[in-house]
């Protein structure tokens, strides 16, 4: 066993750290992390941040150098996540573009597609979203009904997408639509389009989340248009492209693991400072017991992630065990956030400018519910682990 | 990043598993419950032959001079087979303490015999109806002409009848907290009265020991007199790291049992593993297992490499794994249905073992508090 990192990796960390100190938005490191409220300003802020990352060579570090990446190793990517969590860096507005669409185009795209999209993904000029889910096709993705019908050299798209993160800011959408109803298997007959969001046939309506944020959207397609040049892979073979796209997430849930670790440490600090009956919370025997248990479990989840990462490094690709990491980190994040709310006592229900310590905790609590749903619900993760890790029989109906 | 046992350690695990499988896995424990010792003696002799009893003993006493991580496969495998005996106490408490605090005479006397498999040592700590609190230690040893004369009782001594020697926690002078306590190595003699206690986990033959004016040379003190408590605390780091590995082995076997059963058992015309109520429960057991394994690997690694966070690491492995073992053992019975509730199946053996470990040398709340203290809270 070996947890040390190499000299080269440590140099990488220091280089990134120095760059972040120099380039994070003004006041960020001092704790002024307020993002603009208004949509256009918000979008501009995040695009500017991504462009700053691009100019420093810190956007798509895992991409090949030829396409503007750094050819970063898996360990360098892990360090990258750790450092970004450490400084609580602004969100990457083009997450989908950089971690999924870009690598897919590099692998499967035509020369024209690479020429047209890759650079703009890097700079933040073109922000991408993902058009998978529909009102009746969430976890059962093959049930999508949005259709694309050929019309000369064009395709006419109709239907509705939902839970489209950053859809209101996006310029392009990696979208799945049904192009054939004739196949026996329902995941056949789906095609992957690189849809232009800036056209009259595409309308986005933000959905307000329970934590007050507006990150995802409903997207309505009414005779929207796409061209043959905007299809990735072959017609009716979009399912394969989508699966390949999802596998491009090499470090998986890493950023959330490090965020959980940070939240745990922040919770300890809060419990040292927050006083109840004139005594620090951390001296309350019940709180100590629970916190010790959370220590064991959050530490265990992180160590488990490292053990799976070791396997990934040895095999050269991630395995289905990554569902274990996703399930552990999301469920634990939710439980821990709920605990923090409850130990703040009756003041814990105060929110926004009246929050007893920092609205951070109340926001985390409300936001944590998204983690056990987004990216595959906990129930879907359990099916994956049961079937692909333990070899249990497939669910009825599938 | 390399967080896995080495190829050599995994290979050694392979030999052990094959050996214990050939011996019938839990068959050894079941015969032990019936009072037949033959299978156990054979298995223990076989483990000694494979080198398991010398792993962490210095080469000069006939051992291999390896560390805590090299013991992990052994502990996991004996936990899997529910092997009775005092291998845990001998290898993970007495050996490291002898190596560090033993006199040359003690090392020569005990370590080479442990390495060869001919000596087993267990721990005599608790007293009848008392806790593990040091203030409650009443068993007293008074000094008399270069000897210690011991009076008092010990209870819950793990497999007293299988041990040749006892590491005894005794009061050698008045004091509070751990002050005035000493550790004495005492070889079994006819002077010591021993009675086997009935235990819910019948693979454990706990003993009650009575000392009436039992005389032992002062040279049998481990470390200096009146300083036994702090030495014992250090020993508990080794013991708890190892114990978490034993429990991981048991949990691994349980998850396998449940998974296999859910594949073959049919109800409503389907294997029950197809139902999410069953499948998801088994997945939750798997999550407990993997988390426990990660914590226990790290605990043993941090012990071996003397990391700063080793106390928090070891106590958290101990506390989490104890609770998780009980949960998965209970789920296992539920998944097996009616048959899981019978003596015929192994399910019950693991549940009873999990309950035995729950309060062994301290409760979960005790270890949670130890985590808090180790974190500086």
């Amino acid at each position: 066993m070996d947890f040390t990192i190499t000299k080269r990796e440590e140099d990488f960390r220091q280089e990134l750290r120095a760059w972040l100190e120099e380039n994070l938005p003004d006041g960020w490191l001092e704790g002024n992390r307020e993002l603009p409220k208004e949509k256009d300003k918000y979008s501009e802020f995040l695009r500017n941040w991504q462009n700053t990352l691009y100019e420093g060579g810190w956007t798509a570090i895992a991409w090949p150098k030829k396409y503007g990446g750094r050819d970063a190793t898996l360990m360098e990517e892990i360090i990258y996540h750790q450092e970004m969590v450490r400084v609580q860096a602004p969100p990457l507005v083009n997450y989908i573009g950089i971690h999924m669409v870009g690598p897919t185009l590099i692998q499967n795209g035509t020369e024209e597609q690479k020429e047209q999209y890759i650079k703009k993904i890097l700079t933040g000029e073109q922000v991408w979203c993902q058009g998978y889910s529909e009102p009746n096709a969430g976890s059962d993705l093959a049930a999508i009904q949005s259709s694309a019908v050929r019309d000369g050299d064009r395709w006419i798209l109709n239907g509705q997408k939902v839970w489209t993160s950053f859809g209101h800011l996006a310029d392009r959408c990696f979208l799945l639509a049904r192009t054939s109803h004739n196949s026996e298997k329902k995941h056949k007959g789906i095609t992957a389009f690189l849809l232009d969001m800036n056209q009259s046939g595409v309308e986005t309506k933000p959905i307000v989340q329970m934590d007050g944020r507006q990150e995802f959207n409903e997207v309505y397609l009414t005779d929207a248009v796409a061209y043959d040049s905007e299809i990735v892979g072959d017609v009716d073979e979009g399912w394969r492209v989508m699966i390949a796209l999802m596998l491009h997430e090499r470090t998986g849930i890493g950023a959330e693991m490090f965020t959980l670790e940070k939240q745990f440490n922040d919770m300890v600090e809060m419990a040292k400072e927050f006083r109840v009956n004139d005594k620090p919370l951390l001296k309350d025997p019940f709180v100590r017991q629970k916190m010790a248990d959370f220590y064991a479990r959050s530490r265990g989840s992180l160590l488990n992630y490292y053990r799976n990462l070791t396997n990934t490094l040895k095999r050269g690709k991630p395995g289905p065990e990554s569902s274990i990491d996703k399930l552990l980190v999301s469920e634990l994040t939710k439980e821990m956030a709920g605990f923090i709310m409850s130990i703040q006592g009756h003041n814990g229900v105060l929110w926004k400018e009246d929050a007893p310590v920092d609205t951070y905790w109340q926001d985390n609590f409300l936001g944590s519910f998204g983690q056990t749903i987004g990216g595959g619900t906990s129930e879907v993760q359990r099916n994956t682990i049961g079937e692909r890790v333990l070899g249990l029989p497939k669910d009825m109906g599938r | 990043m390399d967080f896995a046992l080495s190829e050599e350690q995994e290979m050694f695990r392979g030999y052990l598993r094959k050996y214990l499988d050939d011996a019938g896995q839990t068959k050894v424990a079941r015969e032990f419950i019936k009072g037949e010792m033959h299978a156990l003696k054979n298995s223990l002799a076989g483990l000694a032959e494979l080198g398991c009893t010398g792993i962490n003993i210095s080469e000069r006493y006939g051992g291999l001079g390896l560390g805590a991580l090299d013991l992990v496969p052994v502990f996991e495998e004996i936990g899997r087979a529910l092997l009775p005996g005092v291998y845990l106490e001998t290898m993970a408490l007495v050996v490291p303490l002898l190596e560090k605090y033993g006199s040359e005479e003690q090392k020569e006397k005990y370590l080479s015999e442990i390495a060869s498999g001919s000596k087993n040592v267990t721990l005599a700590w608790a007293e009848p109806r008392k806790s593990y609190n040091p203030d409650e230690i009443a068993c007293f040893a008074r000094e008399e002409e270069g000897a210690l004369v011991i009076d008092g009782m010990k209870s819950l001594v793990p497999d007293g009848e299988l041990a040749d020697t006892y590491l005894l926690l005794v009061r050698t002078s008045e004091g509070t907290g751990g002050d005035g306590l000493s550790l004495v190595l005492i070889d079994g003699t006819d002077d010591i009265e021993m009675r086997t206690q009935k235990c819910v986990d019948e693979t454990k033959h706990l003993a009650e020991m009575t000392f009436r004016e039992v005389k032992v040379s002062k040279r049998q003190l481990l470390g200096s007199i009146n300083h036994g408590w702090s030495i014992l605390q250090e020993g508990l780091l080794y013991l708890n790291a190892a114990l978490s590995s034993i429990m991981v082995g048991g949990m691994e076997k349980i998850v396998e049992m449940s998974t296999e059963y859910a594949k073959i058992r049919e109800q409503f015309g389907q294997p029950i593993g197809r139902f999410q109520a069953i499948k998801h429960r088994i997945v939750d057991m798997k999550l407990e297992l993997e988390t426990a394994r990660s914590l226990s690997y790290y605990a043993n690694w941090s012990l071996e490499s003397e990391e700063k966070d080793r106390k928090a690491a070891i106590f958290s492995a101990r506390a989490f794994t104890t609770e998780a073992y009980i949960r998965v053992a209970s789920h296992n019975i539920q998944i097996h249905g009616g048959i899981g509730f019978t003596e015929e199946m192994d399910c019950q053996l693991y549940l009873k073992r999990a309950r035995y470990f729950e309060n062994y040398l301290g409760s979960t709340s005790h270890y949670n508090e130890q985590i808090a203290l180790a974190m500086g809270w």
Side-chain angles (χ1 to χ4, degrees):
Chain A
M1 286 181 194
D2 187 4
F3 291 91
T4 52
I5 61 171
T6 64
K7 169 86 171 57
R8 208 190 120 179
E9 286 157 0
E10 185 53 33
D11 288 348
F12 174 88
R13 187 193 295 282
Q14 293 311 328
E15 187 188 345
L16 175 58
R17 211 172 262 197
W19 183 87
L20 283 169
E21 271 170 30
E22 194 72 17
N23 291 283
L24 275 166
D26 285 344
W28 197 266
L29 281 171
E30 290 75 48
N32 180 17
R33 304 195 189 98
E34 204 62 23
L35 296 174
K37 293 267 179 292
E38 198 258 318
K39 181 192 152 191
D40 289 342
K41 291 244 166 64
Y42 178 75
S43 171
E44 189 190 334
F45 182 93
L46 290 186
R47 283 172 199 256
N48 282 344
W49 166 241
Q50 202 196 298
N51 194 48
T52 309
L53 282 168
Y54 165 71
E55 281 172 359
W58 293 107
T59 18
I61 62 167
W63 290 13
K65 284 202 174 104
K66 184 181 160 195
Y67 293 103
R70 278 181 183 250
D71 258 331
T73 64
L74 205 51
M75 277 312 294
E76 284 169 341
E77 264 193 279
I78 297 294
I79 293 167
Y80 181 84
H81 288 312
Q82 285 175 332
E83 292 303 313
M84 290 298 176
V85 168
R86 198 180 59 86
V87 299
Q88 288 175 259
L92 193 60
V93 66
N94 211 6
Y95 187 90
I96 302 287
I98 284 160
H99 288 283
M100 297 177 175
V101 180
T104 302
L105 291 179
I106 289 171
Q107 198 177 34
N108 294 324
T110 62
E111 283 314 308
E112 292 73 31
Q113 287 169 343
K114 289 181 195 175
E115 182 70 28
Q116 195 172 345
Y117 304 119
I118 297 279
K119 172 93 187 278
K120 289 176 184 168
I121 287 176
L122 273 174
T123 60
E125 185 186 335
Q126 217 170 50
V127 170
W128 285 72
C129 63
Q130 221 172 34
Y132 288 0
S133 297
E134 295 184 8
N136 291 313
S139 295
D140 181 10
L141 193 53
I144 59 163
Q145 286 166 10
S146 288
S147 69
V149 178
R150 190 188 277 284
D151 173 31
D153 69 336
R154 309 186 313 168
W155 294 79
I156 306 300
L157 286 79
N158 281 286
Q160 186 196 341
K161 294 288 172 184
V162 75
W163 317 132
T164 312
S165 299
F166 288 113
H168 57 313
L169 307 180
D171 306 288
R172 291 248 155 206
C173 180
F174 187 93
L175 181 128
L176 298 179
R178 187 159 290 289
T179 39
S180 159
H181 293 275
N182 303 328
S183 353
E184 271 174 34
K185 292 198 169 162
K186 58 182 187 170
H187 61 266
K188 289 266 177 189
I190 291 171
T191 302
F193 290 91
L194 307 171
L195 184 79
D196 184 358
M197 297 286 281
N198 299 314
Q199 56 170 305
S200 56
V202 178
E203 188 190 0
T204 58
K205 283 190 185 162
I207 303 173
V208 184
Q209 298 166 204
M210 66 191 253
D211 58 359
R213 284 189 293 181
Q214 299 183 19
E215 274 174 5
F216 42 59
N217 301 266
E218 294 172 301
V219 177
Y220 292 89
L221 306 169
T222 314
D223 293 336
V225 175
Y227 296 88
D228 280 338
S229 60
E230 291 168 342
I231 287 174
V232 195
D234 296 322
V235 172
D236 290 350
E237 295 294 331
W239 192 260
R240 249 189 21 226
V241 182
M242 177 209 60
I243 298 288
L245 176 126
M246 280 159 62
L247 291 178
H248 281 297
E249 242 303 26
R250 300 197 305 172
T251 49
I253 212 81
E256 271 157 68
M257 280 289 170
F258 302 128
T259 303
L260 177 71
E261 192 185 26
K262 180 166 184 353
Q263 282 174 356
F264 176 82
N265 292 332
D266 289 345
M267 170 170 77
V268 172
E269 288 311 308
M270 188 213 80
K272 279 180 183 167
E273 285 162 23
F274 197 82
R275 299 175 84 85
V276 173
N277 296 331
D278 212 28
K279 246 177 42 187
L281 256 184
L282 193 56
K283 295 294 177 194
D284 176 297
F286 169 75
V287 173
R288 286 169 81 78
Q289 287 283 321
K290 288 288 286 183
M291 299 257 281
D293 185 46
F294 278 124
Y295 173 77
R297 290 160 68 200
S298 55
R299 195 79 190 125
S301 305
L302 182 65
L303 289 167
N304 214 49
Y305 174 71
Y306 285 144
R307 211 148 54 77
N308 288 336
L309 187 66
T310 301
N311 274 333
T312 304
L313 287 163
K314 283 179 185 162
R315 275 190 308 226
K317 59 175 188 203
E321 298 85 10
S322 55
S323 283
I324 296 180
D325 295 327
K326 150 82 164 123
L327 191 48
L328 282 173
V329 74
S330 58
E331 291 289 342
L332 192 52
T333 298
K334 191 157 84 175
E335 205 183 322
M336 220 166 76
F339 174 68
I340 300 171
M341 279 276 283
S342 70
I343 60 175
Q344 291 179 355
H346 55 278
N347 292 310
V349 295
L350 294 172
W351 196 16
K352 305 208 169 160
E353 56 272 26
D354 284 320
V357 187
D358 185 340
T359 190
Y360 173 68
W361 300 110
Q362 280 67 23
D363 290 342
N364 277 344
F365 169 71
L366 295 170
S368 68
F369 285 77
Q371 279 178 259
T372 53
I373 299 168
T377 62
S378 291
E379 289 67 29
V380 166
Q381 304 300 333
R382 283 191 176 91
N383 282 350
T384 304
I385 298 164
E387 290 158 23
R388 296 188 52 209
V389 178
L390 294 169
L392 287 166
K394 282 206 169 214
D395 254 27
M396 296 171 86
R398 278 195 300 137
Chain B
M1 177 65 56
D2 181 11
F3 187 28
L5 292 182
S6 69
E7 271 177 47
E8 291 79 12
Q9 286 157 345
E10 288 293 356
M11 205 188 298
F12 188 52
R13 176 208 297 285
Y15 297 136
L16 289 174
R17 183 166 301 181
K18 177 155 191 330
Y19 179 76
L20 291 169
D21 280 352
D22 289 347
Q25 272 281 319
T26 53
K27 188 160 157 273
V28 182
R30 284 178 173 278
E31 292 194 358
F32 179 82
I33 292 172
K34 285 189 276 179
E36 292 160 21
M37 300 298 200
H38 186 68
L40 176 62
K41 288 206 166 119
N42 274 347
S43 292
L44 293 175
L47 289 183
E49 237 167 79
L50 284 166
C52 298
T53 47
I55 290 172
N56 56 338
I57 292 176
S58 313
E59 285 165 286
R60 58 185 300 206
Y61 304 111
L64 297 169
L66 300 171
L69 272 174
D70 300 289
L71 283 164
V72 167
V74 193
F75 284 122
E76 285 190 1
E77 292 308 308
I78 66 174
R80 200 181 150 87
L82 294 174
L83 200 69
V86 291
Y87 183 84
L88 169 69
E89 290 77 6
T90 307
M91 302 310 289
L93 179 71
V94 176
V95 166
L97 291 183
L98 272 173
E99 286 277 352
K100 193 156 178 193
Y101 297 98
S103 65
E104 195 47 47
E105 185 193 347
Q106 289 168 347
K107 289 187 193 178
E108 271 172 26
K109 181 173 169 190
Y110 292 110
L111 288 177
S112 50
E113 279 197 67
I114 292 172
S116 70
S118 55
K119 169 97 47 203
N120 292 293
V121 192
T122 191
L123 174 68
W125 175 345
E127 299 181 6
R129 310 264 166 203
K130 301 278 181 61
S131 72
Y132 291 110
N133 185 336
D135 289 326
E136 296 200 313
I137 299 296
C139 185
F140 199 89
R142 66 171 197 277
E143 293 183 65
E144 199 178 278
E145 299 163 0
L148 295 167
V149 183
I150 303 167
D151 260 303
M153 287 181 85
K154 291 288 168 185
S155 177
L156 295 160
V157 178
D159 292 285
E161 67 188 29
L162 295 177
D164 317 285
T165 298
Y166 305 86
L167 184 65
L168 191 68
L169 184 67
V170 285
R171 181 161 298 288
T172 36
S173 81
E174 296 304 326
T176 53
D179 291 345
L181 298 179
S182 302
L183 288 170
V184 183
L185 287 155
I186 180 161
D187 299 326
T189 67
D190 291 343
D191 296 353
I192 307 169
E193 282 171 42
M194 184 145 32
R195 183 180 72 82
T196 299
Q197 297 172 303
K198 296 254 184 299
C199 179
V200 169
D201 177 2
E202 292 170 294
T203 66
K204 287 279 162 195
H205 284 187
L206 301 177
E208 184 179 81
M209 298 170 77
T210 309
F211 298 82
R212 289 197 180 91
E213 302 277 307
V214 176
K215 222 175 197 177
V216 57
S217 161
K218 272 181 78 179
R219 294 203 303 273
Q220 291 295 100
L221 276 166
L222 182 65
S224 54
I225 194 160
N226 294 332
H227 290 91
W229 184 250
S230 62
I231 297 173
L232 183 59
Q233 297 314 299
E234 199 174 332
L236 286 183
L237 293 179
Y238 289 86
L239 193 101
N240 281 311
L243 176 56
S244 61
S245 297
I246 288 195
M247 293 192 281
V248 165
M251 290 170 75
E252 180 187 64
K253 181 68 191 176
I254 290 170
V255 174
E256 279 175 24
M257 284 168 73
S258 276
T259 306
E260 286 316 304
Y261 188 72
K263 284 181 194 172
I264 55 164
R265 170 70 176 162
E266 290 193 358
Q267 288 281 268
F268 309 104
Q270 308 280 344
I272 60 169
R274 184 165 278 166
F275 305 128
Q276 290 190 349
I278 300 287
K279 181 184 290 181
H280 289 186
R281 196 190 279 253
I282 300 176
V283 168
D284 287 343
M285 292 159 67
K286 172 78 170 167
L287 298 185
E288 304 252 31
L289 163 64
E290 295 306 328
T291 307
R293 195 196 296 272
S294 297
L295 285 167
S296 94
Y297 280 7
Y298 187 80
N300 283 286
W301 177 80
S302 68
L303 183 64
E304 186 168 302
S305 48
E306 295 180 1
E307 290 297 302
K308 276 207 282 299
D309 67 350
R310 70 184 187 284
K311 282 189 181 173
I314 292 164
F315 296 140
S316 58
R318 158 73 203 246
F320 176 84
T321 307
T322 321
E323 295 294 304
Y325 194 3
I326 295 170
R327 286 191 293 263
V328 299
S330 309
H331 288 325
N332 191 34
I333 295 177
Q334 182 70 20
I335 284 162
H336 279 75
I339 193 83
F341 187 62
T342 66
E343 215 170 49
E344 186 186 324
M345 300 299 283
D346 281 348
C347 307
Q348 44 112 11
L349 295 177
Y350 290 91
L351 178 71
K352 290 170 182 170
R353 179 63 71 88
R355 281 291 175 187
Y356 171 73
F357 284 141
E358 182 183 17
N359 286 299
Y360 177 50
L361 306 181
S363 62
T364 301
S365 61
H366 167 77
Y367 282 108
N368 276 338
E369 180 59 24
Q370 297 304 304
I371 295 171
L373 293 172
M375 296 291 286
W377 296 349

